[in-house]
Every structure is written in C-alpha cells, then in structure tokens.
Amino acid sequence: MEARERPAPPPSAAPPSRTAAQRKWLWGTLAVWVLLVVALGPLAGKLNGEQKNDAVSYLPAGAQSTKVADVLADLPGGSTTDIAVVYHRDGGLTPADRDAADAQARQIAAEFQAVGGQAPPPATAHDGRTAVYSFQLAESAGLRADVVDDVRALTDHHPAGLDVLVGGPGATGADMDEVFGSLDGTLMLVTVLVVTVLLIATYRSPFLWLVPLLCVGVAAAASRGLTYLLVKATGLTVTGQSGGIMTVLVFGAGTDYALLLIARYRDELRRTERPYDAMRIALRGCGPALLASAGTVVAGLTCLLAADMNNMRGLGPVGAVGVVSALVVMTTLLPAALVLLGRRVFWPLIPAYGTQDKPRRSAYARIGVFVARRPAGILVGGGILLGALAFGTLAMPGNLNLADGFTKTPESVSAAKVMAQAFPERGSQPIDVIAPAGRAADAVARAAATEGVADARLGRSADGWTEITVHAKDRPESAGERATVERLRDRLDAVPGAAVGGQTAQRIDQEHANARDRMVVVPLVLAAVLLILVALLRSLVAPLILVSAVALVWGAALGLGALVFEPVFGFAGVDPALPLLTFVFLVALGVDYGIFLMHRMREEVHAGLPAERAVLPALTSTGGVIASAGFVLAATFSVLTVLPLVLLVEVGFVIAVGVLLDTFVVRTFLVTAASLLLGRRVWWPGPLAKPRPGVPAATRPDDRSPMMAG
C-alpha cells in the first residue's frame, strides 16, 4: 500500500491570461466531445441494422459458393430459406403422427410460400421412426430468422411423444442470427463489468476508475457511429463477429492507453506544480509510444484489406476505426477531464507536489536483478519453453464443421443429428448447383452421374440461370460429402458458367481462402509492424527482437489452445479463421508492451545512462503499469469466451493467453535478457548504438547499484 502523501506546497501564481486560456481549452475539449457524442450516439445504435450475417458475408469474394449464393438470391423468390422439418418417435411413427405431419407440411407450404407451391413428399427412414419434409421457402415469405421462428411455433403443436425439430441450412442460419443478435448486449455488459472491477482494483480509489471508464464508453460510442457512417459511404461488410471484436478491442486498447497515461501523469504531478503542466509533460513523454502502439494495431488490421474473405476484409477498417477512436479519446478527452478534476481525483492516495513514492524494492526491480545475473540462460530457457508450447499446434484438431460452431446445441444441430442417424445412406441437405439455362440439362446429367450423388433435379430458372438441387449419399459436411462436392466441381468444369455451392461447398471455399489469406496477410502484417517499430525506435535490431518475440508468443498461445480445445472444452475442431485472426491481433497488440519498455529505455539513455545500464530502470519503472495493462487486455479479450460461438471462444482464449505470455514472460524476461546481452547494439544502426563521449562505461550486468536494484 502506498504511503499517504503530505499536502502539496501552495502553488505559485500563474499568469491569469495563461490560466484562463488553459481552462478555456480544457472546457472546449469537453464541449467538443459532448457534441460528438450527441451527433454519433444515435448513429451508433443503427450499426446493428447494418450488420450482415448471411452466408455471403462470411465467404471469399471470388469463390464458386459465393457466386451460387448471389445468383440464387436473384432467382424468383430470391434467396430461399431451406429447412427440414423432422418428425421422430422412438417407438415408430403412428398414423396420427403421419396425419399431423402431412397437415403441418401443407400449412407450411401455403403460409410460407414454398417453392413449387406444394408440400414435398416426406422422406421416411427404413425403421419407420423418422420422417423429414424438406422445404425451400421464398425470400418474400419474410426474414430468415422470422420464418424459422414461425415454422417452429407452428410445429410446436403435435401429438404427445412425437419429437418435431426444424433443421436444415436455413434453420442453422437462423440460429446463428439469434446468436449474433445477442452478442452486442451481452458483450458490452460483461466487458463493462470486467473493466470496472479491474480499474477499481488497480486504482484503489472510489472516483478515479470512473473517468477512464466513461472515456472508453465515449470511444465505443464514437467508433460505432463512425463505423456506421463508413458502412453507408463505402458499402463495407460488417458482421456480428467484427462488431463484437471491435467492442472488445476498444475497451481493451482504450483502458490500456488510460492506464499508461494516468501512471505517467501521476508521476509528473509529484514533480510538477500545476496539473496542466504535468499532463502536458506526461503526454509528451508517453505520447509517441501510445501513437506507435495504436499505429501497429491499425497497420496490422489494415492489412486485412488484402484478405479474400469478406468478413476478414471488413474487420480491418472496423477494428482500425475502433483503435483510432480509443487513442483520440484517451489523448484528448481523458487528459482534459483529469486536469479539470485536479489532484483530488486520486483520493485517497493524492500525489502531492514535492513528494516521492515511499522507497520500496519493487517486484520488477528484483526480477531485473535476477535476469541480469543470468541473461543468456533465461533467454535460452524462455525460448525453449515457448517453442515447446508452439509444437502443440501439431496436435491441432481438424477444421470445425458449421454444425459444431455453437458451444450449446441449438435445435438445428439436434435436427441434423436425428437426420444423420435416420438416413446414413443419404445427405440431408442440398448441394446447390447453378448452370446457364441453355446448359441445365447437360449439368443435371453430369451431376447425376457423379460418384457420391444420390439424386439431381432441376429447380428454379430466371435471367438465364437454372438452379439444380443435388443430394449426396453421405451425411452433411462429412469427408464423403466433401469429396462429392470436389468431384462435382471437376465434372461441371465442362459446363461453362456452372458453379457448385451449398453449405459444404462454402466451408471448403472458406478453408481455401483462409489458407490463401494467411500466405498474403501474415507477411504484410509483419512488414507493417516492423516498419513502424523502426521509425519509432530508430533501430533495426530492437524491432526484430520485438517482432520475433510476439510471433513466438502467437505460436505458443495457438499451440496451447490446440492442446485444450478438444480434451478440455470439448470442441470438435478449430475454425479455419482462427490462425489468421489471432496472428493479426497478437502481433499488433502484443508488440505494444515491448514498445513501452523499449521507449522507456531510450528515455533513460537520453537521460545519461549507458545503454547497458538503461534496461533495468526501464523495466522497474514500467513493470507495474504494463503488467496491469496486460492483465486488463487479457481479461477483456477473455470476455469472448462467454459467448455461444466456438470461433469467438477460441479467439478469446488464444489472444488472452498470448497477451499474458507476452506481458509476464516475453517482455519481463526475454526482451530484458536480450537487451542486457546486446547492450547498445540493440539500437543498431541508430545513434544510440555508438559510444557516447562523456558517458561512463557500463558496469557488469549484475552490478547491484541502487538504480539497478530498484
């Protein structure tokens, strides 16, 4: 616990004109932000209406499955809601069950505009326990989620003991829509709660925690409003996934920036008489590091514009808007509010002018001495530890099927399991094929003759296109059905313009696109982050150390996730997007703490210390606040693990683990050890790498001087 500090000496009189101008500037800053919140607040609420969670939004732009989805949307009735109504009784369907099912099927066909206008004949299992009615319901019948909800309400009335489930791709999509619809509220509530608890624990003040929390709330509202304007201006694809990640990113990054700025401001209040001047010095001291920190995240996210996946490409600008909003708020609104509130905002631990912290030997001072005694061993040992964790990626489970993408089992997934058991010899969901109208007959014949196809039939036709519905013999998203889709595409290559889509084809295209995006985006992110670090640190060696370290952290965090996702969490696989998403965020965010440490080392060198002697004071002075920031960021991203989507749970886990590894292992031990071993060479080829006249030679790394001992 910090000692209570003595009252500050009375401040000297400042020129009235300067004081008045400063207060006018501070109040003006607050007024501008109030006006911006009033203007952007209503727009923030409209962002949910612009989110797209249809299949095309999560598909690669040029894929066959994307083309199929676009063409089907333009056919008569538009995109159909494909559902399968499953009737099942363990003891076998009774005549009353069949009569009720037939009556409901006719009612569904009439009320929800089934393509063809009539109820389809049921597919009945050999054991007589299950019957399935497959419908294609016209888009004009209503929104997908509404239609599925209404069908479920209609089929909820049935004979006792009969199980009725609504499944199929349309129902799966509706269940996904429901999840995304609940993301924003749940995510915002849990994130605010987590950040509030952490800020109270960090500041131990009944008032101070409110200031950064309110500011980050302003940043969240501003980012959502600005994103809405961006979407309206550019047609950018914003999904529920990207909107949720942006919320977490704004709260995590914004709180980190606040922690670092407030810590520096508090130090300056002890050395500087007037809060305005203390804040100006604090901003000048940590501003470049904050700017570089935000710059690395923005640069990394902007590289996602090179991705082929629509949702990934949209996430880049959305996340960048969030980070920029957080940075601007935390370097304008937060400083103005803190200065206007004065020193009393820190009560009961008020930093009085002319006082110092109670001398104490901090944990990071002790860690620094420990690292200084054996830097080579610690560097090698830490590298081996992270490398061993990274080998866990070899145990990565296979790619996740769409039906396994929920942490809880929705009705559509239960329906799929019943159908798979009842019809093991036949796929229960269609493979959508389109062909030019003049070549439709040829396409049907080729599809029907393809190995693994159970049947193929003509569907709707319009605008020169014909829909062909194909059923595979194997269950949905199985290896057998995937092979059938690949064979279909090979055979239909002979039909110009033909394309194969549907749920399994979409998953195949997503996997290929994610593999391609990793090959393109990962090098771009590394190059962009490296360039920013070179510009900030004026060195090549230090940036290479930081980038190599965070890349190793990413591998270790992903490897640890691979070891626990299946045996601990019970997940059936990993989402194909997981490696790229976690890489972008861990590299861009993880390098931040290295930036703060290295930037403080530069300050110590400029203050007169030899490069070798600047490492441990920098670690000691930044250790506590960066540890708090890293813990807050990890806790914020861990909020994603409470959501009902496997992808977001996996992303939250990997990023949270990676941030903790970076904060408490890499920055504290490995970067410190590497900097001690390299000495001034860490700043090569910049001017700090050269011997400086008049600066005393560095002592041994284990020198127990007061500065190094903390």
Side-chain angles (χ1 to χ4, degrees), residues 125-394:
H126 296 306
D127 58 12
R129 297 191 302 169
T130 306
V132 178
Y133 295 78
S134 298
F135 295 90
Q136 285 185 301
L137 305 179
E139 183 182 43
S140 53
L143 297 175
R144 175 175 62 183
D146 294 338
V147 167
V148 172
D149 285 344
D150 290 342
V151 171
R152 284 173 173 165
L154 186 155
T155 58
D156 193 43
H157 304 284
H158 50 74
L162 178 67
D163 295 324
V164 183
L165 301 169
V166 179
T172 301
D175 289 336
M176 193 76 75
D177 290 340
E178 182 180 356
V179 168
F180 280 121
S182 66
L183 280 187
D184 285 335
T186 303
L187 199 59
M188 185 69 73
L189 179 63
V190 178
T191 303
V192 169
L193 179 62
V194 168
V195 170
T196 298
V197 171
L198 292 174
L199 286 175
I200 292 174
T202 299
Y203 290 129
R204 293 170 291 169
S205 166
F207 308 115
L208 180 57
W209 64 273
L210 275 170
V211 183
L213 184 63
L214 289 174
C215 288
V216 80
V218 169
S223 64
R224 291 181 65 84
L226 292 172
T227 300
Y228 172 81
L229 294 176
L230 182 64
V231 171
K232 299 301 288 186
T234 65
L236 183 74
T237 297
V238 178
T239 64
Q241 172 185 298
S242 57
I245 289 176
M246 181 182 72
T247 297
V248 171
L249 188 59
V250 171
F251 272 85
T255 306
D256 270 11
Y257 300 155
L259 287 170
L260 294 161
L261 178 61
I262 291 174
R264 190 65 176 263
Y265 173 55
R266 185 169 189 160
D267 288 343
E268 296 301 333
L269 282 173
R270 296 188 177 95
R271 295 189 286 264
T272 308
E273 189 174 351
R274 297 172 51 79
Y276 183 93
D277 296 329
M279 181 59 74
R280 180 172 51 83
I281 296 170
L283 279 171
R284 189 170 60 213
C286 66
L290 293 178
L291 183 62
S293 169
T296 58
V297 182
V298 170
L301 290 170
T302 303
C303 292
L304 286 174
L305 288 171
D308 193 23
M309 294 286 291
N310 287 329
N311 60 315
M312 287 288 191
R313 201 163 53 248
L315 174 61
V318 169
V321 168
V323 172
V324 171
S325 298
L327 177 68
V328 173
V329 168
M330 295 306 168
T331 53
T332 57
L333 177 60
L334 177 63
L338 288 173
V339 172
L340 286 171
L341 290 169
R343 299 174 186 269
R344 59 186 176 274
V345 75
F346 289 94
W347 185 88
L349 303 174
I350 300 175
Y353 172 54
T355 63
Q356 293 182 344
D357 276 334
K358 180 181 178 180
R360 63 190 186 278
R361 184 175 172 83
S362 73
Y364 279 92
R366 292 192 292 271
I367 290 172
V369 172
F370 172 74
V371 175
R373 287 173 176 167
R374 49 187 69 82
I378 287 173
L379 186 62
V380 172
I384 291 174
L385 171 65
L386 294 178
L389 289 175
F391 271 107
T393 56
L394 299 176

Side-chain angles (χ1 to χ4, degrees), residues 11-20 22 273-274 277:
S12 58
S17 59
R18 189 181 76 172
T19 302
Q22 290 171 354
E273 189 174 351
R274 297 172 51 79
D277 296 329

Side-chain angles (χ1 to χ4, degrees), residues 17 19 49 64 87 89 92 193 201 211 244 252 257 283 308 319 374 418 421 428 507 624 652 670 692:
S17 59
T19 302
Q64 282 195 38
Y87 296 86
R89 185 185 289 273
L193 179 62
V211 183
Y257 300 155
L283 279 171
D308 193 23
R374 49 187 69 82
V418 172
Q421 292 173 354
S428 57
R507 206 59 173 170
L670 303 193
R692 302 173 64 195

